[in-house]
Amino acid sequence: MKSNRLRIKGGVPLRGKVSISGAKNAALVLIAASIMAKGETVLEQVPYIEDVQVLIQILQKMGVQVRWKEDRSLSIQAPDEALTIQAPQELTRKLRASNLLLGSMLARQPEAAISMPGGCDIGLRPMDLHIKGVQALGATVSIKRNRICAERKNYHGAAVYLDFPSVGATENIMMMACMTPGESMIENAAKEPEIVNLASFLNAMGASVRGAGTDVIRITGVSELKAVRYAAIPDRIEAGTYMLAAAATGGEIMIENVIPQHLHPVIAKLREMGVIIQELDHGNLLVYAQDPLRPVDIKTMPYPGFPTDMQSQMLALLAKTPGTSMVVENVFENRFRIIDELRRMGAQIKADSHLAVIEGRPVLHGANVRATDLRAGAALIVAGCAAEGETIIEDAVHIFRGYESVVEKFRGLGAEIEAF
Ligand code: EPZ
């Protein structure tokens, strides 16, 4: 039975080197997109995490050959004929990113059916923008027994305006439009680095995607894509998590394999707090936090704003930064569940659904806490490393969903942490 708890003895300044893995939120969409290509796709920098394993199982049950190769790359080969349209519900409920099969399946075959996806408990996570997008491209969509069933008879290029720059909706529309005859355009598109990584991957396969990383993405549909070898970008959220852990423990660490530009919103805020960050060559960052830190205010926004996926970790850091800080969560409607857990550790935080006011304290104390979702769990490791005494984190499986070798990596930085 895999361990589901972590024990941390805090108060140790983190020191040493940590190497960042491929981005979960890039790898998942590259895996979903791979089924659009004829031949064997080989993906590098795919992190060995639970969410990737679940998506692999889903694809295998739908008739796709997926296997890890000796060099730790991932081989994906879809059959020429149509895939089973029914992704197994017991698996798709575990993984919101399974919703990305909607666009990649409609790109390669006339029918797709996915269950209303699960994932973190951080808000409603609707699919209205995904559905609006594929309908604009000619799919008819019906909701049957908690499943989204789509079929395209006469599909055609179209312009889609996204009311919110949804990452997943942008990705689904991009994938379907790549193999939909005619010209398509996505306005108010998401601009995350993972969107650019997907667009580059699709273009390498022979697609015609222009403007990824800006508000407007234009796509000319093609009839076939060929399989290629490609790499996921480094995980900016994993990197940011280790940066905050170094800041929260007054440590000094070297982070390898990052793209600094993807971390600028986080780097800017940490520098505002007084953390010294040096962007070295070859994608290395030196993070150094010796002096007392200053409180800051955070507003989460779609990229290039401060990432919502770093919000929980920031609450943990600010809880231990003397002074008054404010955090506004503008992306999800229920992403403050970690606050109750931080309060058990002595944090002084007042919050409503979107605003948290933190009275930072010089000391947090260890406690028994529970990971409510992936990033909250990672934030509790940050808090546990910074706190005095012992912290036990229950439901640590949430963390293993998205952080490769997290115990080994924190231990490599000197943290006293074990899974049990
Ligand atoms: C992706 O989720 C990421 N997941 C999330 O990371 C990340 O927090 C999020 O983007 C925002 O950056 C993956 O890439 C696998 P959204 P996604 O669609 O695509 C609303 C993590 O911790 N919305 O950009 O599901 C939605 O309710 C995870 O790694 C609609 O209203 O996020 C939310 O409020 C958590 N209608 C907002 O948009 C829709 O049809 C952002 O959602 C779709 C979304």
Side-chain angles (χ1 to χ4, degrees):
M1 169 68 184
K2 251 178 98 167
S3 58
N4 189 20
R5 284 182 292 186
L6 294 175
R7 175 184 289 116
I8 302 169
K9 276 200 179 26
V12 178
L14 298 185
R15 295 199 197 302
K17 262 194 300 193
V18 63
S19 182
I20 299 305
S21 304
K24 167 178 82 77
N25 293 346
L28 290 171
V29 71
L30 297 187
I31 292 169
S34 300
I35 66 172
M36 296 162 64
K38 282 202 183 311
E40 181 192 18
T41 296
V42 177
L43 296 177
E44 297 169 345
Q45 293 259 321
V46 175
Y48 195 79
I49 54 177
E50 191 57 27
D51 274 9
V52 165
Q53 297 293 71
V54 171
L55 186 56
I56 289 172
Q57 288 165 35
I58 291 169
L59 288 183
Q60 286 170 334
K61 285 189 185 282
M62 294 170 68
V64 181
Q65 285 175 27
V66 190
R67 64 184 174 83
W68 292 101
K69 300 175 78 167
E70 301 68 52
D71 64 358
R72 286 296 311 277
S73 62
L74 189 67
S75 164
I76 300 159
Q77 175 132 22
D80 290 346
E81 63 273 8
L83 294 177
T84 323
I85 64 165
Q86 172 51 49
Q89 292 219 26
E90 72 279 4
L91 287 170
T92 52
R93 246 202 308 275
K94 286 168 75 172
L95 180 66
R96 171 152 176 109
S98 53
N99 65 4
L100 298 171
L101 291 173
L102 182 65
S104 55
M105 286 175 71
L106 288 173
R108 72 186 308 273
Q109 59 190 50
E111 277 189 273
I114 57 164
S115 57
M116 290 300 271
C120 286
D121 179 12
I122 55 177
L124 279 173
R125 316 297 296 276
M127 290 286 292
D128 58 306
L129 298 176
H130 299 246
I131 292 168
K132 172 183 180 180
V134 299
Q135 283 176 327
L137 294 170
T140 52
V141 177
S142 56
I143 310 280
K144 290 178 199 144
R145 290 191 310 285
N146 205 29
R147 274 212 316 261
I148 298 172
C149 303
E151 58 180 306
R152 54 161 171 82
K153 293 194 176 72
N154 51 350
Y155 58 147
H156 47 77
V160 184
Y161 172 80
L162 291 180
D163 309 50
F164 184 88
S166 155
V167 171
T170 301
E171 292 168 340
N172 261 331
I173 299 163
M174 275 171 73
M175 289 188 283
M176 182 177 173
C178 273
M179 297 182 80
T180 296
E183 300 296 322
S184 295
M185 177 168 67
I186 307 171
E187 290 182 284
N188 196 27
K191 299 185 273 194
E192 273 69 6
E194 292 76 23
I195 299 284
V196 178
N197 196 197
L198 172 61
S200 310
F201 175 55
L202 291 166
N203 286 339
M205 292 198 278
S208 171
V209 181
R210 303 172 303 284
T214 74
D215 298 312
V216 180
I217 298 177
R218 297 175 194 284
I219 297 165
T220 305
V222 297
S223 56
E224 190 172 290
L225 296 178
K226 65 181 185 332
V228 295
R229 172 180 279 267
Y230 215 75
I233 54 174
D235 196 319
R236 60 195 168 100
I237 305 300
E238 182 194 19
T241 304
Y242 287 105
M243 291 169 75
L244 267 63
T249 57
E252 175 180 352
I253 68 172
M254 173 75 80
I255 304 181
E256 298 175 330
N257 188 36
V258 301
I259 299 174
Q261 186 210 338
H262 294 171
L263 279 156
H264 277 172
V266 177
I267 291 171
K269 276 296 162 184
L270 287 177
R271 283 178 171 153
E272 215 180 298
M273 295 180 73
V275 179
I276 294 166
I277 298 171
Q278 285 176 6
E279 296 180 25
L280 308 173
D281 50 6
H282 308 304
N284 294 341
L285 279 185
L286 180 64
V287 181
Y288 179 78
Q290 292 308 314
D291 306 329
L293 301 181
R294 298 183 290 273
V296 288
D297 296 341
I298 300 286
K299 289 181 176 59
T300 68
M301 296 295 280
Y303 195 88
F306 190 89
T308 175
D309 291 350
M310 286 297 303
Q311 181 256 98
S312 297
Q313 301 90 312
M314 206 63 194
L315 283 178
L317 173 58
L318 294 172
K320 201 194 162 239
T321 303
T324 305
S325 303
M326 277 197 327
V327 173
V328 182
E329 171 55 56
N330 290 311
V331 177
F332 287 105
E333 71 274 358
N334 182 26
R335 204 168 199 177
F336 278 156
R337 295 183 61 199
I338 186 179
I339 289 175
D340 286 341
E341 305 306 313
L342 290 173
R343 284 182 179 135
R344 293 174 200 281
M345 301 176 74
Q348 303 279 315
I349 304 177
K350 288 200 188 73
D352 70 7
S353 58
H354 285 275
L355 166 68
V357 180
I358 304 106
E359 286 305 330
R361 325 251 304 159
V363 176
L364 293 177
H365 54 76
N368 279 23
V369 291
R370 181 174 299 280
T372 51
D373 62 76
L374 164 61
R375 305 301 174 185
L380 290 172
I381 297 181
V382 172
C385 288
E388 285 183 0
E390 181 178 88
T391 296
I392 304 286
I393 302 175
E394 306 277 350
D395 287 350
V397 282
H398 285 291
I399 307 169
F400 304 137
R401 280 184 45 209
Y403 285 84
E404 186 176 54
S405 312
V406 64
V407 173
E408 295 76 7
K409 290 191 182 185
F410 267 102
R411 220 185 257 149
L413 292 170
E416 289 190 40
I417 179 173
E418 63 172 338
F420 65 102

